[in-house]
């Protein structure tokens, strides 16, 4: 990010249906893909804030499809919450602020795509989880998110990144990057490459169950990192879920798996001290209970039987993506230092090992909820 241009944001902001004077802009550094800014406006003497976000169109090649999905799902969730009499609905679901021409995003003369959301006040996110109550909130938030989409009317959602969680493809892309070794980095990633190759067989398990229709397709979030849950600053209760670009047809287990990856270890995803990286069972239990209670019987028995496995698979697959990006010259995930993607991969793989050690106990707990 680094280079942001206030006058550019001023210019962009004028294209949205906002009735106020822009006073201040702050870049928000969370997230590896899009550029996000928090903008403060004076609206009739009151301070109001909005999010302006530049969509990474290298990653999201169909921004109109992305925004169409987001407008549909947020509208549906808002209607359900309103019908249930839920208070504070503009904090519970993101609100898209359309461009002046009524479209969900604005394309600049240079081709950049920007969108705007109402800023949700008095919330914060965390990069890691410190106690079971927070893990439970994560499970509840994403579980409820999935449940509120289970009866989404209308056509199938757009696949905003085709094959996003296709672990077989992710593995094959990794293999191709190893074989090509365009950046001469395979040698520096010996143990990680070895690790990935030795786990190849896990990549087909959920895909096979899906192909056999044992596991259904559902509208899912697909990027259920803990920092995508906004928690109330005062109560620490989950308020809403953000980062909706990858909401599309998917598998509930992938969402759960990414929650395991990002809530059960005390560490960040790029922790260097691998001795600290491990699954804390009390956090897993809290997460799992929160999620299963919020989805409220929605999952079938095949999905439920793969709860712990999903944690392992997702952690492995994200590790594989970091490793592949390292081997391919760091073009996808934003890096903050040389070797960053390799470090991230190493941390994910350490967590995979920890899940392997506790997988049986994790699944046993899931079966008991
Ligand atoms: C990316 O941008 P961010 O941090 O929300 C990535 C996820 C990864 C995650 C790893 C569209 O998400 O799939 O799990 O990094 N999003 C995309 O931290 O690729
Ligand atoms: Mg994301």
């Amino acid at each position: 990010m680094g280079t942001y241009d206030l006058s550019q944001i001023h210019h962009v902001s004028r294209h949205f249906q906002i009735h106020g004077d822009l006073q201040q802009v702050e870049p928000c550094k969370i997230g590896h893909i899009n550029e996000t800014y928090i903008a403060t406006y004076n609206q009739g003497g009151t301070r109001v804030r909005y999010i302006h976000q530049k969509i990474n169109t290298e990653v999201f090649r169909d921004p109109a499809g992305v925004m169409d999905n987001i407008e549909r799902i947020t509208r549906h969730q808002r209607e359900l919450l309103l019908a249930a009499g839920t208070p504070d609905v503009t904090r519970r679901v993101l609100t898209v602020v359309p461009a002046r021409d009524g479209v969900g995003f604005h394309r600049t003369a240079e081709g950049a795509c920007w969108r705007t959301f109402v800023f949700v006040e008095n919330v914060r996110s965390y990069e890691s989880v410190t106690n079971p109550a927070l893990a439970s909130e994560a499970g509840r938030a994403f579980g409820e998110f999935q449940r509120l989409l289970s009866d989404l009317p209308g056509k199938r959602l757009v696949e905003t990144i085709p094959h996003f969680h296709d672990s077989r493809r992710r593995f094959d892309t990794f293999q191709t990057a190893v074989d090509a070794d365009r950046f001469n980095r395979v040698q520096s990633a010996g143990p990680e490459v070895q690790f990935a190759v030795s786990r190849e067989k896990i990549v087909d398990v959920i895909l096979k169950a899906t192909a056999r229709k044992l596991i259904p397709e559902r509208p899912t979030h697909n990027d259920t990192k803990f920092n995508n849950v906004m928690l109330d600053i005062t109560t620490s209760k989950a308020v809403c879920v953000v980062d909706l670009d990858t909401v599309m047809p998917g598998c509930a287990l992938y969402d759960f798996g990414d929650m395991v990856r990002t809530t059960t270890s005390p560490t960040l995803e790029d922790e260097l001290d691998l001795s600290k990286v491990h699954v804390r069972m009390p956090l897993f239990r809290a997460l799992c209970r929160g999620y299963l209670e919020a989805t409220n019987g929605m999952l079938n028995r095949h999905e439920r039987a793969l709860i712990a496995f999903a944690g392992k698979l997702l952690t492995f697959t994200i590790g594989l993506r970091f490793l592949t990006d390292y081997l391919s010259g760091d073009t996808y995930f934003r890096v903050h230092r040389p070797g960053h993607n390799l470090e991230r991969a190493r941390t994910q793989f350490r967590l995979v090992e920890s899940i392997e050690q506790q997988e049986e106990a994790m699944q046993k707990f899931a079966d008991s909820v």
Side-chain angles (χ1 to χ4, degrees):
M1 187 167 317
T3 55
Y4 90 94
D5 175 357
L6 187 61
S7 68
Q8 184 198 14
I9 311 253
H10 260 279
H11 182 76
V12 162
S13 77
R14 282 199 284 272
H15 290 276
F16 289 94
Q17 297 183 20
I18 294 175
H19 306 281
D21 303 307
L22 180 59
Q23 294 193 313
Q24 200 198 331
V25 178
E26 272 171 72
C28 166
K29 297 201 181 63
I30 301 173
H32 300 330
I33 309 287
N34 295 319
E35 272 177 49
T36 308
Y37 301 90
I38 302 168
T40 307
Y41 289 78
N42 176 353
Q43 187 180 286
T46 300
R47 191 189 83 135
V48 287
R49 297 203 281 178
Y50 292 91
I51 294 283
H52 295 303
Q53 201 168 40
K54 184 175 167 189
I55 305 174
N56 180 331
T57 46
E58 287 293 312
V59 171
F60 297 103
R61 295 184 169 268
D62 174 13
V66 167
M67 292 315 293
D68 190 47
N69 279 359
I70 293 180
E71 289 185 297
R72 280 179 63 199
I73 63 158
T74 53
R75 194 182 317 125
H76 182 65
Q77 292 184 326
R78 184 176 310 112
E79 280 166 10
L80 292 182
L81 291 173
L82 285 170
T86 312
D88 238 6
V89 170
T90 56
R91 292 181 78 231
R92 300 293 311 279
V93 185
L94 289 184
T95 307
V96 176
V97 178
R100 300 236 175 246
D101 58 7
V103 176
F105 66 101
H106 167 67
R107 201 188 284 270
T108 67
E110 298 75 40
C113 288
W114 287 83
R115 65 178 167 207
T116 298
F117 294 106
V118 168
F119 183 84
V120 178
E121 297 287 350
N122 296 313
V123 292
R124 61 161 296 185
S125 63
Y126 297 81
E127 294 301 312
S128 64
V129 175
T130 45
N131 60 63
L134 291 184
S136 165
E137 287 305 304
R140 228 173 42 74
F142 286 120
E144 170 157 315
F145 184 88
Q146 287 183 348
R147 190 172 48 78
L148 291 176
L149 291 183
S150 61
D151 60 348
L152 181 73
K155 60 181 198 298
R156 191 169 179 262
L157 290 170
V158 172
E159 278 188 62
T160 59
I161 303 182
H163 313 291
F164 188 58
H165 280 307
D166 184 331
S167 36
R168 168 46 63 190
R169 265 180 188 254
R170 295 290 188 187
F171 190 88
D172 292 347
T173 306
F174 153 74
Q175 197 82 69
T176 306
V178 172
D179 295 343
D181 198 13
R182 273 187 54 211
F183 293 84
N184 272 318
R185 290 182 173 181
V186 168
Q187 208 191 354
S188 58
E192 290 71 34
V193 169
Q194 199 70 57
F195 184 93
V197 169
S198 71
R199 285 355 184 239
E200 179 178 356
K201 67 175 188 313
I202 69 174
V203 303
D204 297 316
V205 174
I206 292 183
L207 290 169
K208 280 186 180 155
T210 310
R212 291 175 62 201
K213 302 259 187 287
L214 301 175
I215 293 185
E217 178 179 284
R218 303 179 187 278
T220 51
H221 184 282
N222 295 304
D223 190 4
T224 56
K225 261 165 112 160
F226 187 58
N227 68 9
N228 283 331
V229 183
M230 296 295 135
L231 296 123
D232 187 282
I233 287 178
T234 320
T235 64
S236 293
K237 293 279 178 203
V239 174
C240 68
V241 160
V242 300
D243 197 354
L244 308 179
D245 299 314
T246 50
V247 178
M248 59 180 152
C251 165
L253 287 170
Y254 297 147
D255 278 2
F256 184 74
D258 209 19
M259 293 177 224
V260 173
R261 179 179 82 87
T262 58
T263 65
T264 62
S265 179
T267 50
L268 302 182
E269 101 188 334
D270 57 359
E271 172 65 52
L272 293 171
D273 181 351
L274 297 184
S275 71
K276 294 186 184 153
V277 180
H278 68 283
V279 172
R280 295 164 294 176
M281 274 308 273
L283 279 87
F284 174 79
R285 286 196 289 266
L287 171 75
C288 187
R289 187 182 293 284
Y291 174 71
L292 291 176
E293 283 177 1
T295 45
N296 193 21
M298 183 182 92
L299 302 191
N300 72 25
R301 69 191 165 85
H302 301 286
E303 291 173 299
R304 290 193 60 128
L306 288 168
I307 283 278
F309 175 83
K312 178 171 71 177
L313 178 67
L314 248 289
T315 308
F316 177 70
T317 310
I318 306 288
L320 202 57
R321 290 174 56 198
F322 287 140
L323 181 55
T324 305
D325 201 31
Y326 170 71
L327 298 175
S328 315
D330 303 311
T331 57
Y332 188 89
F333 296 106
R334 197 177 292 130
V335 289
H336 303 295
R337 51 181 182 264
H340 201 177
N341 272 318
L342 179 60
E343 290 161 6
R344 289 171 175 149
R346 209 171 268 151
T347 306
Q348 306 317 295
F349 290 166
R350 175 67 201 99
L351 189 58
V352 169
E353 288 178 322
S354 174
I355 299 174
E356 286 171 349
Q357 284 154 14
Q358 304 182 74
E359 194 174 338
E360 226 178 275
M362 289 163 75
Q363 187 58 44
K364 208 166 154 193
F365 177 78
D367 295 340
S368 77
V369 176

